[in-house]
Amino acid sequence: MPFPAPLQSSTTQSSSATTTTAAWLATGRRMTDAGSLIAAAIDLDQPRHGISLAAQGMSSPSTLLGLDLRSECRLTDHWVRGDDVTAVYESADARHLRTTAMWRLHPSDGATRAWELIASAQTSLLQSDSVLAVVSEIDATDLLWGTCTDGAMQWHTDSSPDATCVLLGRSGATGSGDTSVLVAAHPGDARRLTARKDGMRVVVECWLFSTALEKGVLLRSRVMAAVGPATDATLWAGDLAAKFAASPPMLTT
């Protein structure tokens, strides 16, 4: 049985009018991060793209923290509140998944801008396949894998099953507008972290949840992404990733 239609929240922004909140500029279903130095926006009708970044210091736009539901889906509700943009999606396949995506500003200093995607899933079936991926596509040539030991991040050029984050940049990046990108999965949440090169881009996938989800159970997980200067990228990225890894995992019910 499919889920009943969700109740509309009084804070939902669903008209074509432009409205402002504490952190986001909402124009219909397009949400723009009003405080980001690099233009960053979310098109709620395109959850797979997540946060799209303007091509500043990059040859093409990058996308961060996209939600890959592995099937067609429909947006059933959305709202903006404070630092959060929340959208509810229902899958169009036999899994009958309802997935809630909350894109949230993550605390960071003035040199970086960071966001989290908090994803939750539930089903109306007795049992369903809940596996989904948080996907980021970054214009990059260099890739470092991060593992956390005793609260400190260590960077490696080779992949590792213990890696909880990746740091991406471009060879020869020396201009003032050059940036690096961090994508970090929480070690208590993620099932698998992968990264593969696709031409001049790197596709990072954080696979979440188990293969079996029961009715009445809510699964919840989160992934962080950040953009900062290419200079000393391993320092600011290592600090952000280590703090994120040390935070308690999300609760499930």
Side-chain angles (χ1 to χ4, degrees):
M1 177 182 295
F3 289 104
L7 297 176
Q8 293 294 318
S9 168
S10 60
T11 57
T12 297
Q13 307 290 345
S14 57
S15 69
S16 60
T18 299
T19 59
T20 57
T21 67
W24 298 90
L25 177 69
T27 305
R29 293 178 174 179
R30 181 177 176 83
M31 312 294 167
T32 302
D33 181 353
S36 179
L37 296 178
I38 296 179
I42 303 168
D43 181 353
L44 297 183
D45 289 320
Q46 301 290 334
R48 175 65 169 71
H49 294 167
I51 301 171
S52 295
L53 303 180
Q56 176 181 342
M58 298 174 284
S59 62
S60 59
S62 294
T63 60
L64 303 177
L65 304 180
L67 188 64
D68 184 357
L69 298 175
R70 299 168 47 217
S71 74
E72 294 295 323
C73 64
R74 63 187 181 95
L75 175 68
T76 60
D77 198 5
H78 67 283
W79 60 91
V80 183
R81 183 178 295 119
D83 289 345
D84 302 337
V85 171
T86 304
V88 182
Y89 300 94
E90 294 193 22
S91 68
D93 60 6
R95 295 180 300 159
H96 290 285
L97 278 186
R98 173 181 286 175
T99 305
T100 301
M102 178 186 291
W103 288 276
R104 167 176 290 176
L105 293 180
H106 184 86
S108 56
D109 59 30
T112 61
R113 192 66 168 176
W115 307 267
E116 287 183 41
L117 172 59
I118 301 170
S120 60
Q122 57 188 136
T123 182
S124 58
L125 302 179
L126 292 179
Q127 191 173 80
S128 181
D129 173 8
S130 65
V131 176
L132 55 83
V134 176
V135 182
S136 301
E137 297 189 17
I138 298 106
D139 182 43
T141 59
D142 300 334
L143 169 62
L144 293 176
W145 299 81
T147 58
C148 194
T149 304
D150 297 328
M153 194 61 58
Q154 306 293 326
W155 299 105
H156 316 273
T157 56
D158 296 327
S159 62
S160 167
D162 297 324
T164 59
C165 64
V166 292
L167 178 62
L168 301 117
R170 289 174 295 117
S171 297
T174 58
S176 60
D178 291 317
T179 58
S180 292
V181 177
L182 168 73
V183 179
H186 194 281
D189 294 339
R191 296 177 61 243
R192 183 162 50 98
L193 175 68
T194 65
R196 56 182 171 84
K197 290 189 176 182
D198 184 6
M200 295 297 291
R201 299 175 72 82
V202 175
V203 180
V204 181
E205 296 174 319
C206 301
W207 292 91
L208 306 179
F209 306 144
S210 65
T211 55
L213 171 63
E214 297 181 352
K215 183 178 181 180
V217 174
L218 176 69
L219 300 178
R220 188 180 290 115
S221 185
R222 68 196 189 278
V223 180
M224 181 187 69
V227 179
T231 304
D232 295 328
T234 55
L235 297 181
W236 65 257
D239 183 60
L240 269 178
K243 290 179 179 177
F244 183 61
S247 63
M250 304 295 293
L251 297 177
T252 59
T253 59

